Amino acid sequence: MEGDSICSTAGYLGGKVLFMNEETLVYSTGSALLFLNIRTGTQVHHWTGDYSSIVMFAVNRSKNLFCVSQHQLQATIQVYSYQSFKPVAKLVDGEVEIRFNALAFSECGTYIMAIGDAPKFMLSVWDWEKGVLMASVSVPEELASGNASFLDGDQLAVAVVGLHAARVYVLKKMLGRWNIFPVDVDVYSHGSPLLLNAEGLKVN
């Protein structure tokens, strides 16, 4: 399919496009995910079992996993093994209704984070392999529809970026319980440093 675009060859409707591996792109076509081999042009549709729209999805290449969240009365996240397409976990946060607006795997593939829709805009982090919701915290509305990513190393952290705001959260285990805390961070915009405090507000 050299020279072709995905919108002309495989019904791409817009939205996020990710690499599942070196040869395979994945994106949503509405109520399914389409896995497109960019070398051969082979397409595989993954249907989740109902006709709810897929709102968000994420992949983890190191563990060959992907997860999806759909528009439903009770927002859930389904984790699947790629190629077998078998479900391996189902995640729920009782504080979140209808949908998640952001979804991401940690680099190691052990953790999943999501940001829920109104009214509470909950940032939730799971150890999905243990089926444990580690911690949740409400985030400002301006961050609720943005992008998010993990830093997983000696310290587990999440960066959340909205259109005009950004915030970093760290997860800490205290007295046997995980908690999420916002931290101060320097954000650079057009070459100028902006110091954002723990509330995500400019302070200089």
Side-chain angles (χ1 to χ4, degrees), residues 159-174:
V160 184
V161 180
L163 186 61
H164 299 295
R167 183 179 287 181
V168 173
Y169 295 86
V170 296
L171 281 86
K172 296 181 180 180
K173 198 168 188 178
M174 304 171 61

PDB file of all heavy atoms in Angstrom, residues 159-174:
ATOM      1  N   ALA A 159       1.308  12.666  33.593  1.00  0.00           N
ATOM      2  CA  ALA A 159       1.210  14.027  33.072  1.00  0.00           C
ATOM      3  C   ALA A 159      -0.105  14.159  32.321  1.00  0.00           C
ATOM      4  O   ALA A 159      -0.428  13.331  31.476  1.00  0.00           O
ATOM      5  CB  ALA A 159       2.375  14.339  32.152  1.00  0.00           C
ATOM      6  N   VAL A 160      -0.879  15.199  32.644  1.00  0.00           N
ATOM      7  CA  VAL A 160      -2.167  15.451  32.010  1.00  0.00           C
ATOM      8  C   VAL A 160      -2.108  16.833  31.370  1.00  0.00           C
ATOM      9  O   VAL A 160      -1.777  17.821  32.042  1.00  0.00           O
ATOM     10  CB  VAL A 160      -3.323  15.381  33.026  1.00  0.00           C
ATOM     11  CG1 VAL A 160      -4.658  15.561  32.320  1.00  0.00           C
ATOM     12  CG2 VAL A 160      -3.299  14.062  33.783  1.00  0.00           C
ATOM     13  N   VAL A 161      -2.449  16.904  30.087  1.00  0.00           N
ATOM     14  CA  VAL A 161      -2.332  18.152  29.337  1.00  0.00           C
ATOM     15  C   VAL A 161      -3.659  18.464  28.663  1.00  0.00           C
ATOM     16  O   VAL A 161      -4.186  17.656  27.897  1.00  0.00           O
ATOM     17  CB  VAL A 161      -1.222  18.066  28.274  1.00  0.00           C
ATOM     18  CG1 VAL A 161      -1.120  19.385  27.504  1.00  0.00           C
ATOM     19  CG2 VAL A 161       0.105  17.719  28.912  1.00  0.00           C
ATOM     20  N   GLY A 162      -4.213  19.649  28.945  1.00  0.00           N
ATOM     21  CA  GLY A 162      -5.396  20.138  28.261  1.00  0.00           C
ATOM     22  C   GLY A 162      -5.015  21.166  27.224  1.00  0.00           C
ATOM     23  O   GLY A 162      -3.831  21.352  26.919  1.00  0.00           O
ATOM     24  N   LEU A 163      -5.992  21.873  26.683  1.00  0.00           N
ATOM     25  CA  LEU A 163      -5.716  22.846  25.634  1.00  0.00           C
ATOM     26  C   LEU A 163      -4.900  24.018  26.155  1.00  0.00           C
ATOM     27  O   LEU A 163      -3.996  24.518  25.481  1.00  0.00           O
ATOM     28  CB  LEU A 163      -7.044  23.350  25.034  1.00  0.00           C
ATOM     29  CG  LEU A 163      -6.930  24.276  23.823  1.00  0.00           C
ATOM     30  CD1 LEU A 163      -6.222  23.565  22.680  1.00  0.00           C
ATOM     31  CD2 LEU A 163      -8.307  24.750  23.375  1.00  0.00           C
ATOM     32  N   HIS A 164      -5.199  24.473  27.387  1.00  0.00           N
ATOM     33  CA  HIS A 164      -4.502  25.631  27.934  1.00  0.00           C
ATOM     34  C   HIS A 164      -3.980  25.383  29.351  1.00  0.00           C
ATOM     35  O   HIS A 164      -3.709  26.337  30.084  1.00  0.00           O
ATOM     36  CB  HIS A 164      -5.437  26.849  27.964  1.00  0.00           C
ATOM     37  CG  HIS A 164      -5.937  27.252  26.611  1.00  0.00           C
ATOM     38  ND1 HIS A 164      -5.118  27.734  25.613  1.00  0.00           N
ATOM     39  CD2 HIS A 164      -7.189  27.220  26.074  1.00  0.00           C
ATOM     40  CE1 HIS A 164      -5.830  28.006  24.536  1.00  0.00           C
ATOM     41  NE2 HIS A 164      -7.089  27.693  24.788  1.00  0.00           N
ATOM     42  N   ALA A 165      -3.863  24.136  29.746  1.00  0.00           N
ATOM     43  CA  ALA A 165      -3.424  23.834  31.108  1.00  0.00           C
ATOM     44  C   ALA A 165      -2.678  22.511  31.125  1.00  0.00           C
ATOM     45  O   ALA A 165      -2.831  21.685  30.224  1.00  0.00           O
ATOM     46  CB  ALA A 165      -4.626  23.778  32.054  1.00  0.00           C
ATOM     47  N   ALA A 166      -1.857  22.334  32.152  1.00  0.00           N
ATOM     48  CA  ALA A 166      -1.110  21.089  32.311  1.00  0.00           C
ATOM     49  C   ALA A 166      -0.918  20.814  33.794  1.00  0.00           C
ATOM     50  O   ALA A 166      -0.870  21.739  34.608  1.00  0.00           O
ATOM     51  CB  ALA A 166       0.238  21.181  31.615  1.00  0.00           C
ATOM     52  N   ARG A 167      -0.804  19.547  34.127  1.00  0.00           N
ATOM     53  CA  ARG A 167      -0.570  19.191  35.518  1.00  0.00           C
ATOM     54  C   ARG A 167       0.102  17.826  35.578  1.00  0.00           C
ATOM     55  O   ARG A 167      -0.158  16.956  34.757  1.00  0.00           O
ATOM     56  CB  ARG A 167      -1.881  19.161  36.301  1.00  0.00           C
ATOM     57  CG  ARG A 167      -1.697  18.857  37.796  1.00  0.00           C
ATOM     58  CD  ARG A 167      -3.017  18.863  38.529  1.00  0.00           C
ATOM     59  NE  ARG A 167      -3.515  20.223  38.684  1.00  0.00           N
ATOM     60  CZ  ARG A 167      -4.656  20.511  39.323  1.00  0.00           C
ATOM     61  NH1 ARG A 167      -5.392  19.537  39.837  1.00  0.00           N
ATOM     62  NH2 ARG A 167      -5.056  21.763  39.459  1.00  0.00           N
ATOM     63  N   VAL A 168       0.972  17.674  36.556  1.00  0.00           N
ATOM     64  CA  VAL A 168       1.633  16.394  36.812  1.00  0.00           C
ATOM     65  C   VAL A 168       1.184  15.867  38.163  1.00  0.00           C
ATOM     66  O   VAL A 168       1.118  16.613  39.144  1.00  0.00           O
ATOM     67  CB  VAL A 168       3.171  16.541  36.784  1.00  0.00           C
ATOM     68  CG1 VAL A 168       3.838  15.232  37.218  1.00  0.00           C
ATOM     69  CG2 VAL A 168       3.643  16.938  35.392  1.00  0.00           C
ATOM     70  N   TYR A 169       0.850  14.588  38.199  1.00  0.00           N
ATOM     71  CA  TYR A 169       0.454  13.922  39.434  1.00  0.00           C
ATOM     72  C   TYR A 169       1.432  12.784  39.716  1.00  0.00           C
ATOM     73  O   TYR A 169       1.901  12.115  38.789  1.00  0.00           O
ATOM     74  CB  TYR A 169      -0.954  13.333  39.312  1.00  0.00           C
ATOM     75  CG  TYR A 169      -2.050  14.345  39.148  1.00  0.00           C
ATOM     76  CD1 TYR A 169      -2.389  14.838  37.891  1.00  0.00           C
ATOM     77  CD2 TYR A 169      -2.766  14.812  40.248  1.00  0.00           C
ATOM     78  CE1 TYR A 169      -3.409  15.770  37.734  1.00  0.00           C
ATOM     79  CE2 TYR A 169      -3.790  15.742  40.101  1.00  0.00           C
ATOM     80  CZ  TYR A 169      -4.097  16.215  38.839  1.00  0.00           C
ATOM     81  OH  TYR A 169      -5.099  17.131  38.683  1.00  0.00           O
ATOM     82  N   VAL A 170       1.734  12.556  40.976  1.00  0.00           N
ATOM     83  CA  VAL A 170       2.541  11.416  41.372  1.00  0.00           C
ATOM     84  C   VAL A 170       1.709  10.501  42.256  1.00  0.00           C
ATOM     85  O   VAL A 170       0.805  10.955  42.969  1.00  0.00           O
ATOM     86  CB  VAL A 170       3.823  11.838  42.115  1.00  0.00           C
ATOM     87  CG1 VAL A 170       4.728  12.644  41.205  1.00  0.00           C
ATOM     88  CG2 VAL A 170       3.500  12.611  43.379  1.00  0.00           C
ATOM     89  N   LEU A 171       1.994   9.211  42.177  1.00  0.00           N
ATOM     90  CA  LEU A 171       1.337   8.233  43.033  1.00  0.00           C
ATOM     91  C   LEU A 171       2.308   7.801  44.122  1.00  0.00           C
ATOM     92  O   LEU A 171       3.458   7.452  43.834  1.00  0.00           O
ATOM     93  CB  LEU A 171       0.882   7.014  42.230  1.00  0.00           C
ATOM     94  CG  LEU A 171      -0.408   7.194  41.428  1.00  0.00           C
ATOM     95  CD1 LEU A 171      -0.114   7.807  40.072  1.00  0.00           C
ATOM     96  CD2 LEU A 171      -1.131   5.868  41.274  1.00  0.00           C
ATOM     97  N   LYS A 172       1.853   7.836  45.345  1.00  0.00           N
ATOM     98  CA  LYS A 172       2.672   7.424  46.482  1.00  0.00           C
ATOM     99  C   LYS A 172       1.879   6.474  47.362  1.00  0.00           C
ATOM    100  O   LYS A 172       0.682   6.665  47.582  1.00  0.00           O
ATOM    101  CB  LYS A 172       3.102   8.653  47.300  1.00  0.00           C
ATOM    102  CG  LYS A 172       3.992   9.624  46.549  1.00  0.00           C
ATOM    103  CD  LYS A 172       4.390  10.800  47.436  1.00  0.00           C
ATOM    104  CE  LYS A 172       5.286  11.780  46.696  1.00  0.00           C
ATOM    105  NZ  LYS A 172       5.671  12.939  47.554  1.00  0.00           N
ATOM    106  N   LYS A 173       2.580   5.475  47.869  1.00  0.00           N
ATOM    107  CA  LYS A 173       1.942   4.515  48.761  1.00  0.00           C
ATOM    108  C   LYS A 173       2.251   4.912  50.198  1.00  0.00           C
ATOM    109  O   LYS A 173       3.416   4.996  50.607  1.00  0.00           O
ATOM    110  CB  LYS A 173       2.442   3.097  48.487  1.00  0.00           C
ATOM    111  CG  LYS A 173       1.531   2.023  49.041  1.00  0.00           C
ATOM    112  CD  LYS A 173       1.905   0.642  48.508  1.00  0.00           C
ATOM    113  CE  LYS A 173       0.876  -0.393  48.898  1.00  0.00           C
ATOM    114  NZ  LYS A 173       1.204  -1.734  48.330  1.00  0.00           N
ATOM    115  N   MET A 174       1.200   5.187  50.955  1.00  0.00           N
ATOM    116  CA  MET A 174       1.350   5.635  52.337  1.00  0.00           C
ATOM    117  C   MET A 174       0.471   4.782  53.232  1.00  0.00           C
ATOM    118  O   MET A 174      -0.735   4.676  52.999  1.00  0.00           O
ATOM    119  CB  MET A 174       0.964   7.122  52.456  1.00  0.00           C
ATOM    120  CG  MET A 174       1.751   8.036  51.524  1.00  0.00           C
ATOM    121  SD  MET A 174       1.113   9.736  51.494  1.00  0.00           S
ATOM    122  CE  MET A 174       1.345  10.195  53.214  1.00  0.00           C
TER     123      MET A 174
END
